[in-house]
Amino acid sequence: MSAAAPILQLDGITKKFGGFTALSDVHFTVEEKVIHAVIGPNGAGKTTLFNVISGMFGAEAGSLLFKGENIDRAKPHKRANMGIARTFQNIRLFEDLSVLENVQVSQHGRHFPSIWSAVRHAIFHAPFSRGAQEIEMEDYAMELLEFLGIAHARDTNAADLAFGERRLVEIARALAANPAIMLLDEPAAGMNPSETENLDEILTRLRDEKGITILLVEHDMNLVMGLSDYVTVLNFGEKIAEGAPEAVQSDPDVIAAYLGTDEEI
Amino acid sequence: MLEQQLINGLMLGASYAMVAIGYTLIFGVLRLLHFAHGEVFMLGAFFGLQIVIYMTGVEVVAAAIMAIESFLDVKGILLFFAIFGAMIGTGIIGALVVFVAVRPVDNKFPLAPLISTIGVTILIQNVTIMVFGGTLRSFPASIEPVRYQIGDLTIDSVQIFILVTAFALMGSMWYLIEKTRIGRAIRATSESHETAALLGVNVNFIVLFVFILASCLAGVAGVLDGVKNSNVSPFMGLEVAVKALVCMLLGGLGNIVGALVAGFLLGTVEILSSAYLGSGLRDFLTFSILITILLFKPTGLFGTRVVRD
């Protein structure tokens, strides 16, 4: 692979909840500008993995490198501002905010480098006018909404959106932070076939046109196998296989994990 | 007469609304009833009082103020200093409350920060009594109000000043919350700390900012109240705190516009009821309204913006 450090590197990540080991010594790397899927049966630890990467909780052991830099101790908002964005399995929009406002929330960190500038902004700029930066931010947010085909809903409250559109708003919101890597937790869940097809196209364009790395957790195997450049398989918190989609699909361990082994039957 | 009473109701309502907005902002981002908020209001009045006393008492400063006033041909510049000073003072107090009583306390037990802010209430009140004494202190009549007669209605310049200041502040507050980036982040944080943080919002900073903002607003309300009633006491916080709490519940938890409207509503009802039904019924009426609303519309008059997560 390339000489540059991989965008994300997991070294022996272990996460326990009480006596239950959700992730056990997980190693893998995510290369830049690829769609990298993480699959595995229910309870394999996929969402836990996302929570550890985004900093919602720390791991008991192991370390996490983002662009070669150790981020074990960085708080969630710091990680978001460094370029790690995510969406949620159960969509978490700000229901009382409009679609545009939802997207703009994640521009917040990028445009407030310090406490002082935030206070200065609140005191000197906010009461009088929208600064050039504010207009630029809104334009960029609108561009993203157009990219995802939901620009018509800009002033709708998130609570009033259709399900498929809610997913897209979450993706737009993650994109607004200008991420280097996006963690998408089951983006196709609950989508109908045409919505899934649309999602497939969007994710491909994100990788090819915007150069964003996508780490994808997904149960829709057609989508995963058609879309991914690389697949990592987890089972009971352990990595059991990785490689190109075709190779993983025919891996006996993976088949056993999904279907059970002969002995068990 | 009715118009005169309505003006008085607006004035009282402005105090309630300004304190209630702070309550509801803090409740929005932390699900915390900030018990010491009434004491911050009281401190604002004392800070304002001290500034006025200092500025009229020290000859050089008093002379300078006089010179500026005659140069600009205005009166009451002192009040601006009092308000601005009280705002800074109470803003600092708000920040201190966060560092002393909110951040160190574990948020996993919702009652813990509530108890610690009760502690802050006791602390602030006793320190104020120690420093300023426990008696009523009168606001020096530093400005001779100019009276205007509109039909039967008499309104003086100080009243106008109080109303204009209150409305201007609440207007900017609404703008800040609804139209600016930091306001967007505050509303996002109110809905979910976790999601906001994962999107890059520094939640700790937002909480601090909201406390400072709410405290500044309460501080200004304190000064205005002190000027209006021309006296301040270390015990003036409690009544306002309770009434503002009623306003927050009436308006709907976390609902800023609701708190504002409820503040003016309650102020007007109280003044009208003391004028026409006798002042003994005033609190009875206030709490009857509260209980009725909570029985029939528990989310408040304007709906709550706070959801249980």
Side-chain angles (χ1 to χ4, degrees):
Chain A
M1 287 266 169
S2 64
I7 193 156
L8 196 65
Q9 188 175 346
L10 287 81
D11 279 332
I13 295 288
T14 299
K15 174 71 198 170
K16 291 178 181 158
F17 296 103
F20 173 70
T21 306
L23 292 172
S24 162
D25 194 29
V26 174
H27 290 264
F28 70 88
T29 57
V30 181
E31 298 297 334
E32 217 168 338
K33 297 181 181 137
V34 299
I35 297 180
H36 186 139
V38 178
I39 61 171
N42 282 327
K46 300 175 302 266
T47 296
T48 305
L49 182 77
F50 271 20
N51 287 341
V52 169
I53 296 173
S54 59
M56 265 166 82
F57 33 71
E60 266 79 45
S63 64
L64 201 61
L65 276 75
F66 176 66
K67 291 179 178 168
E69 193 185 331
N70 188 308
I71 55 165
D72 290 341
R73 304 179 67 110
K75 292 202 169 128
H77 74 267
K78 282 272 158 54
R79 296 190 194 191
N81 295 335
M82 288 167 92
I84 303 178
R86 74 169 289 180
T87 65
F88 301 89
Q89 192 177 346
N90 45 342
I91 301 173
R92 292 199 201 170
L93 294 176
F94 300 114
E95 307 291 345
D96 234 12
L97 271 59
S98 74
V99 166
L100 183 64
E101 287 178 325
N102 261 283
V103 173
Q104 290 196 289
V105 167
S106 58
Q107 295 177 316
H108 186 85
R110 236 165 15 105
H111 288 279
F112 280 138
S114 70
I115 285 185
W116 166 237
S117 72
V119 173
R120 198 176 48 196
H121 175 85
I123 295 173
F124 297 111
H125 296 286
F128 306 115
S129 69
R130 282 162 24 108
Q133 201 186 33
E134 179 82 359
I135 292 168
E136 187 192 309
M137 279 168 68
E138 188 179 315
D139 287 348
Y140 184 60
M142 280 312 293
E143 206 181 298
L144 293 174
L145 290 181
E146 268 153 34
F147 178 82
L148 293 167
I150 43 174
H152 58 276
R154 59 170 280 167
D155 294 322
T156 312
N157 267 14
D160 303 329
L161 287 179
F163 185 81
E165 289 179 323
R166 289 166 63 81
R167 284 258 180 240
L168 295 179
V169 174
E170 253 206 338
I171 293 174
R173 194 174 64 174
L175 277 173
N178 253 359
I181 183 168
M182 277 173 74
L183 317 179
L184 304 181
D185 199 348
E186 296 198 28
M191 281 188 169
N192 63 36
S194 82
E195 285 172 331
T196 308
E197 206 170 298
N198 179 34
L199 180 73
D200 187 320
E201 190 199 319
I202 286 169
L203 298 187
T204 310
R205 285 180 61 198
L206 284 178
R207 175 193 59 191
D208 298 343
E209 293 172 24
K210 297 195 185 270
I212 292 171
T213 308
I214 294 171
L215 189 61
L216 176 73
V217 162
E218 185 50 64
H219 278 299
D220 183 333
M221 282 306 139
N222 286 331
L223 182 70
V224 168
M225 295 305 166
L227 189 64
S228 313
D229 302 299
Y230 202 79
V231 179
T232 297
V233 188
L234 294 180
N235 193 24
F236 294 114
E238 290 181 39
K239 184 177 83 179
I240 57 168
E242 63 182 336
E246 307 78 39
V248 163
Q249 256 174 313
S250 53
D251 187 306
D253 284 345
V254 176
I255 296 169
Y258 272 93
L259 302 175
T261 53
D262 288 341
E263 290 91 283
E264 277 176 315
I265 301 169
Chain B
M1 79 224 60
L2 184 65
E3 293 93 332
Q4 199 70 52
Q5 298 302 347
L6 281 177
I7 296 272
N8 293 338
L10 273 185
M11 308 263 301
L12 183 65
S15 290
Y16 290 167
M18 285 168 87
V19 180
I21 288 174
Y23 256 137
T24 212
L25 270 175
I26 292 173
F27 194 90
V29 294
L30 272 188
R31 305 292 183 272
L32 164 71
L33 182 58
H34 176 26
F35 236 83
H37 203 52
E39 307 313 313
V40 174
F41 166 88
M42 177 271 285
L43 274 182
F46 269 95
F47 289 154
L49 173 71
Q50 285 309 112
I51 289 168
V52 170
I53 289 175
Y54 175 78
M55 291 193 134
T56 47
V58 180
E59 257 173 62
V60 190
V61 182
I65 296 279
M66 291 268 267
I68 297 173
E69 285 188 347
S70 64
F71 178 72
L72 296 173
D73 197 25
V74 287
K75 278 180 180 153
I77 288 230
L78 258 181
L79 278 184
F80 283 100
F81 282 102
I83 285 174
F84 198 64
M87 232 168 129
I88 293 172
T90 49
I92 293 171
I93 297 288
L96 282 178
V97 171
V98 172
F99 288 119
V100 173
V102 179
R103 272 197 198 166
V105 177
D106 197 337
N107 240 324
K108 280 193 198 83
F109 311 101
L111 273 182
L114 175 75
I115 305 286
S116 69
T117 61
I118 293 179
V120 172
T121 309
I122 298 168
L123 183 78
I124 291 181
Q125 212 172 68
N126 283 288
V127 170
T128 312
I129 293 170
M130 264 169 62
V131 176
F132 299 110
T135 51
L136 213 62
R137 309 223 314 170
S138 58
F139 230 94
S142 47
I143 336 139
E144 202 52 51
V146 185
R147 286 178 198 289
Y148 301 97
Q149 194 77 30
I150 310 163
D152 300 336
L153 198 67
T154 316
I155 184 164
D156 69 42
S157 51
V158 173
Q159 287 175 314
I160 294 175
F161 176 81
I162 290 175
L163 281 177
V164 169
T165 311
F167 274 106
L169 272 179
M170 287 186 279
S172 354
M173 191 64 112
W174 175 85
Y175 186 87
L176 184 82
I177 300 293
E178 293 294 327
K179 298 288 171 197
T180 69
R181 282 175 232 172
I182 189 126
R184 205 153 50 218
I186 290 172
R187 284 180 290 143
T189 306
S190 297
E191 285 197 37
S192 166
H193 281 207
E194 206 171 71
T195 312
L198 287 169
L199 291 171
V201 175
N202 185 344
V203 169
N204 272 339
F205 170 68
I206 294 294
V207 168
L208 179 65
F209 186 84
V210 162
F211 259 86
I212 293 176
L213 206 64
S215 302
C216 289
L217 207 60
V220 175
V223 179
L224 297 183
D225 197 75
V227 172
K228 182 184 71 186
N229 298 335
S230 58
N231 58 50
V232 302
S233 108
F235 308 104
M236 66 194 275
L238 182 66
E239 196 197 337
V240 173
V242 172
K243 297 295 167 59
L245 187 63
V246 172
C247 296
M248 170 167 87
L249 294 168
L250 279 181
L253 290 176
N255 189 332
I256 292 155
V257 177
L260 194 152
V261 177
F264 283 110
L265 207 69
L266 193 66
T268 311
V269 167
E270 286 197 349
I271 293 289
L272 290 184
S273 70
S274 11
Y276 295 108
L277 304 172
S279 59
L281 279 176
R282 178 167 148 166
D283 287 356
F284 170 77
L285 211 63
T286 302
F287 291 105
S288 306
I289 293 174
L290 176 67
I291 291 168
T292 315
I293 296 284
L294 288 184
L295 273 178
F296 294 104
K297 202 165 182 307
T299 51
L301 288 174
F302 305 96
T304 175
R305 288 183 97 156
V306 172
V307 271
R308 216 163 222 291
D309 26 30

